[in-house]
Amino acid sequence: MNFSNKNLLFFFPESPFSKRAGNVLRTYTNLKQLRSLGLNIDLVGVEDYYNSFGDTAQGIDPEIINEVFVLKIKPPKKKLTFEYWKYKFLKKFEKENSNQYLTQYLKDNFTAILDKKKYDYLFINYEFWTDLIRDQDLKGAKTIVDTHDWITLNEFYSNKDLDLGKRFGEEIKNLSFYDKVVTISQDEYFIFKSFLGDKVINIPPSFPENFEDTHTEKKYDLIFVGSDNPFNVLSINWFVEKVLPLLPKEIKICIIGRICKHVPDHESIEKIFFADDLKTYYHASKIAICPMLKGTGIKIKVVEAMSYGIPVVGTEKAVDGFSDKKNNGCRVSDDEKEFADIIKDLLNNSSDHEKQKQEAIHFFRDNFSEKKSVELWEKTLNI
């Protein structure tokens, strides 16, 4: 089906074109694939998010996005204006919301966008932004939410005092508002489908195949790519403190991304704060590591490594959301000695490395191909 005469309004608070973290990279890929179906896409973001990450609307690809709206969460601070005092007064009566950025001012600006154009689809990323569209006149637009994660469990990791029943009830209530609920992992798919039925569809992350690396010299033994979110910080600290001392002194490790700010200097580690193209580094590496100790959902970094045909060594969290926890190109352990032993085996035993590599390639092709992903988006839009 061709969607070339259809308009989609896509809300994601930060810039999907920065590709700085797994969730952002997935969102960029989704936009690219939705555009490939012929949709006209307008993008909505939140100024506070853009500013905090140093993003601008200038970096957004006009080949994918028609129009960009970066919304403020409060009016300019001019105390004499009617608008300033109106929202100052309304703030006192706003219902309590765990999302501090979802203000009445932001909602009113979102309404103004909806008033200007007829949209066939409204796409919201993360259920905690649902109030953006809950009381709006949607003019018949179909609604889609990308969950990204099981948010209740994710919040519980950061706040052990969280009222789980209340928060999960809120999450399900928000998700039930939509015509389609998109998950990225089998685990969340089964949970949400139990409550919400057939409106839930699982669309795993996808990447192009990049397996052709036969002649590339392997400069690095290990590679880790990550943003500086708390889960990544915890993970890389565990690896450096517990696993690295058990590995050979001559091992070479490449660490890429904002996570480098939290990695101590070490003779075995090369830190690359930003890489425009990861392809060179993945092809120059023998093994990818994913030592995650917390966090929910599929780890985008694991799928990305598989797209280059690289075996992955991780903790049990590394295979969260996979349909097969065993035959997937990953070897896992939460024990630091076993983690180090797996790495040493794969580096010293070429047949084990090749077996693991082929397993990663086959699992990737069966589960994370771009072709399959586009077909699932087409199915999602045929609401």
Side-chain angles (χ1 to χ4, degrees), residues 21 44 97 137 152 158 188 202 213 229 272 274 278 284 286 344 352 369:
V44 182
N97 194 316
D137 177 8
T152 299
S158 307
E188 276 117 45
N202 193 56
D213 69 330
N229 74 51
I272 296 151
F274 177 78
L278 292 172
K286 297 174 186 173
K344 286 185 276 191
D352 279 4
S369 76

Side-chain angles (χ1 to χ4, degrees), residues 13 27 43-44 99 119 128 133 137 140 154 159-160 184 187-188 207 233 287 291 311 313 319 324 337 350-351 373:
T27 303
L43 177 68
V44 182
N99 184 350
Y119 289 98
F128 47 82
I133 60 173
D137 177 8
N154 219 354
N159 174 19
K160 295 299 185 204
I184 70 170
D187 298 346
E188 276 117 45
F207 289 90
V233 174
I287 299 167
V313 178
V319 295
D324 187 334
K337 185 178 182 309
S350 58
S351 63
S373 187

Side-chain angles (χ1 to χ4, degrees), residues 218-235:
K218 302 301 181 194
K219 182 181 176 184
Y220 307 107
D221 297 299
L222 307 177
I223 184 170
F224 178 83
V225 178
S227 66
D228 57 349
N229 74 51
F231 298 146
N232 281 335
V233 174
L234 182 71
S235 304

Side-chain angles (χ1 to χ4, degrees), residues 73 97-103:
I73 64 169
N97 194 316
S98 55
N99 184 350
Q100 61 177 325
Y101 297 100
L102 188 47
T103 61

